[in-house]
Amino acid sequence: MRMDDKIETPNSAVTRSLSLIEVVGLSEKPVTLNDLAERIDMPRATLHRLCQRLVEEGFLFREPDRRHYSVGPRLFKMGLTIVGSGVGTQRHAILKQVVDVTRETCNFVTRSGCDAIYLARVESDWPLRVHLEPGSRVPLHCTASGKLLLAHMDVQQRQKLLASLTFERFTPATIMSADALESEFAEILRDGYSTDREEFMIGLIAIAVPVFDRNGRVVASLACHAPKARMTLDDSKRYVPVLQSAARKLAQTF
């Protein structure tokens, strides 16, 4: 189906909801009510009610600007399950190659609303490790992947999102203001990678690189994290070329 084709919806609440989910799910960026009205043959008032209900149920997410809608956590988790036997297997194999080199846990992460969400993850063999499943959500402001994804956002959208964030302190090193984050974003864009200096968990460090789509947009991140007792932040930077090579392979899975 081409994205410029208009969807005619039979008079059924289920069909209308599925049509709305289809348009939002296939969109490359968050959509407004006007965008949906152009794509779906449905009264605006009905569209608005359906969007509200789907947000309440977790199938859609209302962006911080309150005008745009994107895929919600419930729909996102369903998508992860569906692709798990195909693309998910390919991504797992790429992450496993990185883990074999670094001997530490690797994550494939994207943004979902105000959180970073794990698309795929391969654990290290060490008994001491942080266990999180694909689909797990972590904060944006204090994780290597979260900060990297924020750094590559459109500036205006990022500022709106940051204005809506709750800056929860997880450790003494957690960054607690948008201004402090903006300073770090400049470093991330300059260096090509992001780090977590025990900002999310005491004793845990991480490094992340961007994953680009075919249009050059950053759509995800690839991160490696480890206890500081096993890997220092300087040690982790040695693996940036390994992560970047794997990120290029992951880009082919989109």
Side-chain angles (χ1 to χ4, degrees):
M1 183 187 73
R2 287 171 26 210
M3 286 303 294
D4 56 352
D5 291 336
K6 188 155 186 172
I7 298 175
E8 295 184 4
T9 57
N11 190 19
S12 160
V14 172
T15 304
R16 288 177 171 184
S17 296
L18 290 174
S19 297
L20 199 159
I21 287 172
E22 179 183 20
V23 171
V24 175
L26 291 176
S27 176
E28 294 182 351
K29 58 184 180 180
V31 297
T32 64
L33 203 61
N34 286 338
D35 296 329
L36 293 170
E38 290 176 0
R39 292 279 296 110
I40 304 174
D41 186 17
M42 193 185 305
R44 285 177 59 88
T46 303
L47 272 173
H48 186 257
R49 286 196 302 272
L50 279 178
C51 284
Q52 285 185 313
R53 183 59 187 273
L54 291 170
V55 168
E56 292 170 1
E57 295 295 331
F59 289 105
L60 296 185
F61 174 79
R62 197 168 187 179
E63 295 287 332
D65 65 4
R66 311 300 294 170
R67 295 180 57 250
H68 289 80
Y69 296 90
S70 58
V71 171
R74 194 169 172 185
L75 182 59
F76 201 98
K77 195 166 186 178
M78 289 172 60
L80 287 176
T81 302
I82 292 169
V83 303
S85 61
V87 171
T89 301
Q90 185 180 358
R91 290 172 177 171
H92 186 278
I94 295 170
L95 293 189
K96 181 64 168 61
Q97 292 173 355
V98 178
V99 172
D100 288 344
V101 175
T102 64
R103 300 191 65 207
E104 299 295 350
T105 297
C106 286
N107 309 306
F108 183 41
V109 185
T110 193
R111 183 178 71 88
S112 176
C114 295
D115 297 317
I117 186 167
Y118 289 168
L119 296 175
R121 178 179 172 90
V122 174
E123 301 271 1
S124 69
D125 292 329
W126 297 102
L128 176 61
R129 61 182 187 266
V130 178
H131 183 69
L132 291 167
E133 297 288 342
S136 297
R137 306 171 78 89
V138 295
L140 290 171
H141 70 288
C142 58
T143 56
S145 288
K147 291 188 295 180
L148 183 139
L149 294 168
L150 285 170
H152 284 275
M153 285 181 67
D154 171 80
V155 174
Q156 289 186 335
Q157 287 190 351
R158 180 174 72 222
Q159 289 174 345
K160 290 177 181 177
L161 190 151
L162 290 176
S164 71
L165 279 186
T166 299
F167 284 84
E168 182 178 352
R169 182 178 293 282
F170 291 88
T171 77
T174 301
I175 296 175
M176 295 297 293
S177 74
D179 288 343
L181 276 177
E182 288 290 350
S183 297
E184 185 152 338
F185 295 153
E187 296 179 11
I188 292 170
L189 295 175
R190 180 197 67 203
D191 297 337
Y193 61 82
S194 173
T195 60
D196 171 358
R197 302 173 293 272
E198 300 184 76
E199 297 159 52
F200 183 40
M201 295 184 184
I202 293 177
L204 189 74
I205 61 97
I207 190 162
V209 301
V211 177
F212 297 89
D213 68 7
R214 65 188 64 186
N215 297 315
R217 296 184 310 142
V218 172
V219 291
S221 74
L222 174 61
C224 173
H225 73 238
K228 188 175 67 172
R230 281 202 307 263
M231 181 187 289
T232 67
L233 203 56
D234 285 339
D235 289 337
S236 72
K237 293 175 184 178
R238 292 183 300 151
Y239 295 114
V240 167
V242 175
L243 291 169
Q244 290 172 332
S245 176
R248 288 190 290 271
K249 296 176 183 176
L250 287 168
Q252 302 303 312
T253 67
F254 281 91

